[in-house]
Amino acid sequence: MKTSDFYFELPQELIAQDPLEDRSSSRLMVLDRKTGTIEHHIFKDIIQYLTPGDCLVVNDTKVIPARLIGNKVGTDAKIEVLLLKRKENDVWETLVKPGKKAKIGAEISFGDGLLKAKVIDIVEEGNRLIQFSYDGIFEEILDQLGQMPLPPYITHQLKDKNRYQTVYAKHEGSAAAPTAGLHFTPELLRQIEEKGVHIAHVTLHVGLGTFRPVKVEDVTNHHMHSEFYVVEQDQADLINETKKSGHRVIAVGTTSCRTLESATNEEGILIPGSGWTEIFIYPGYHFKMIDALITNFHLPESTLLMLVSALAGKDQILNAYAEAVKERYRFFSFGDAMLIE
């Protein structure tokens, strides 16, 4: 299976640069994976496709303003630091640009010294381990100085930080938003629950590896980045009960999907707990937990496109994407949505 098998032509102007004013007014493509039938709707119509007893599983991670711009101490050199993973207390694994200015021992100052950093190690892929020092509470300082780490294909400035958060974001730790969830409003979630549909929460802190291109020709040689997930006991019980009673488990986003598939055993039981996952889902994968998926439209040749192809079949997905291009759907993080059922 080649990476190039997942290529499609995407006009640049279809990459959404800004979120819509009303989250739930984006478009929704519904793909029936058994028949290949495609329907076109508005996202709030998703309620028509949910039945009482179904369980929507959302990822309640919260994006941190992980992009910091500072100066190398003793010089005028600008340095950009992207927080990837908290290792311990005030030590973070980061992506630093330009890397050549961030040798071990280099010191960086942010916000006129409000936050200071020292490079203490260089790890895989050239990422830097950085030790931060400050007075006060790190999260509050980060909120003051940091910017949202928008994906590289979004070039517009985001006016409202909260538009790159889901309305149910709770646990801080992501460097990117679980974007399928951006379409939900509190009102829509209330209507869904009133219909008798359960909403379960899991947490997976999304890493920037989500945007890392697949550079190998053979898909099976690609190594996935690791991400931390948490499944609480009561949420596992709710999801397992849904499955046991013959109703559907519907993942909101590829991150919820990867969490569920990582934490489900071979008997199809979701095991509560926390850990790191490097799960890579591509065609040929046997899904153990999810029955349907709500997702956005993904990059050509990406691991996310491979995941949806594993669920619905590569040819059906590429056919649906060709239809999306023809119908001028908006793509990627701030774009339109798709329900694969």
Side-chain angles (χ1 to χ4, degrees):
M1 197 183 318
K2 292 182 181 167
T3 301
S4 56
D5 294 340
F6 297 89
Y7 179 77
F8 66 93
E9 202 71 50
L10 179 68
Q12 195 73 16
E13 68 271 16
L14 294 186
I15 299 173
Q17 291 295 328
D18 303 289
L20 296 180
E21 188 132 344
D22 171 12
R23 290 173 184 261
S24 62
S25 67
S26 48
R27 293 165 77 189
L28 175 71
M29 176 185 281
V30 180
L31 171 64
D32 184 325
R33 59 194 167 110
K34 293 184 186 71
T35 64
T37 311
I38 291 171
E39 294 177 7
H40 303 285
H41 292 272
I42 300 300
F43 189 80
K44 57 183 72 145
D45 298 338
I46 193 125
I47 199 159
Q48 299 171 20
Y49 292 89
L50 305 175
T51 52
D54 283 348
C55 184
L56 277 187
V57 183
V58 302
N59 179 8
D60 63 9
T61 187
K62 193 169 189 179
V63 186
I64 57 174
R67 188 166 169 255
L68 289 161
I69 312 286
N71 286 79
K72 187 173 178 182
V73 173
T75 73
D76 291 331
K78 281 262 183 291
I79 292 189
E80 180 180 319
V81 173
L82 203 50
L83 306 180
L84 298 179
K85 219 181 268 180
R86 185 178 234 142
K87 302 304 264 186
E88 55 189 354
N89 299 330
D90 294 320
V91 175
W92 285 75
E93 184 176 336
T94 67
L95 189 62
V96 178
K97 289 196 284 193
K100 62 179 184 294
K101 294 194 190 302
K103 296 185 168 62
I104 293 174
E107 295 183 348
I108 308 161
S109 171
F110 307 95
D112 294 328
L114 192 60
L115 183 64
K116 297 190 181 97
K118 186 174 185 176
V119 180
I120 58 173
D121 202 0
I122 299 174
V123 291
E124 58 178 323
E125 297 179 359
N127 291 349
R128 267 56 174 177
L129 284 190
I130 281 184
Q131 171 103 47
F132 287 99
S133 57
Y134 51 89
D135 288 324
I137 298 167
F138 181 75
E139 285 74 16
E140 288 179 1
I141 294 168
L142 190 61
D143 205 44
Q144 190 179 332
L145 300 179
Q147 300 170 22
M148 279 300 186
L150 293 177
Y153 46 75
I154 293 177
T155 55
H156 290 191
Q157 194 75 33
L158 184 63
K159 295 186 185 80
D160 177 4
K161 271 185 190 177
N162 287 324
R163 292 312 308 273
Y164 196 57
Q165 300 280 22
T166 60
V167 296
Y168 44 75
K170 188 176 179 187
H171 302 290
E172 293 189 328
S174 276
T179 53
L182 295 178
H183 304 283
F184 288 95
T185 62
E187 170 69 8
L188 181 56
L189 289 167
R190 187 181 58 73
Q191 290 170 356
I192 287 168
E193 286 191 300
E194 282 174 357
K195 190 174 181 179
V197 176
H198 304 294
I199 298 175
H201 293 243
V202 296
T203 307
L204 180 131
H205 293 318
V206 189
L208 282 180
T210 294
F211 307 115
R212 190 181 295 152
V214 179
K215 290 179 176 166
V216 291
E217 190 180 348
D218 181 347
V219 165
T220 58
N221 291 333
H222 177 69
H223 177 66
M224 284 292 275
H225 55 292
S226 71
E227 295 169 314
F228 186 73
Y229 73 87
V230 181
V231 179
E232 300 288 357
Q233 179 74 58
D234 60 337
Q235 303 302 292
D237 291 345
L238 173 57
I239 295 162
N240 285 327
E241 192 50 50
T242 300
K243 202 77 179 163
K244 196 172 151 193
S245 60
H247 292 101
R248 293 180 305 165
V249 172
I250 302 163
V252 177
T254 55
T255 61
S256 299
C257 169
R258 294 209 318 277
T259 304
L260 292 172
E261 294 299 316
S262 297
T264 299
N265 67 17
E266 292 306 317
E267 285 73 52
I269 308 295
L270 181 63
I271 308 298
S274 62
W276 294 87
T277 178
E278 294 178 354
I279 192 169
F280 179 20
I281 297 174
Y282 53 86
Y285 177 83
H286 171 68
F287 286 86
K288 297 174 289 190
M289 179 52 76
I290 77 158
D291 301 295
L293 176 68
I294 298 166
T295 186
N296 280 18
F297 289 91
H298 306 295
L299 280 81
E301 300 184 331
S302 64
T303 59
L304 304 179
L305 185 61
M306 293 168 193
L307 185 154
V308 295
S309 297
L311 183 63
K314 177 174 70 73
D315 292 343
Q316 277 199 154
I317 286 292
L318 290 178
N319 176 54
Y321 271 53
E323 175 88 356
V325 169
K326 185 168 134 262
E327 294 293 330
R328 312 295 287 172
Y329 272 70
R330 299 161 76 247
F331 276 68
F332 308 162
S333 298
F334 288 140
D336 295 316
M338 182 182 201
L339 167 63
I340 302 170
E341 57 165 15

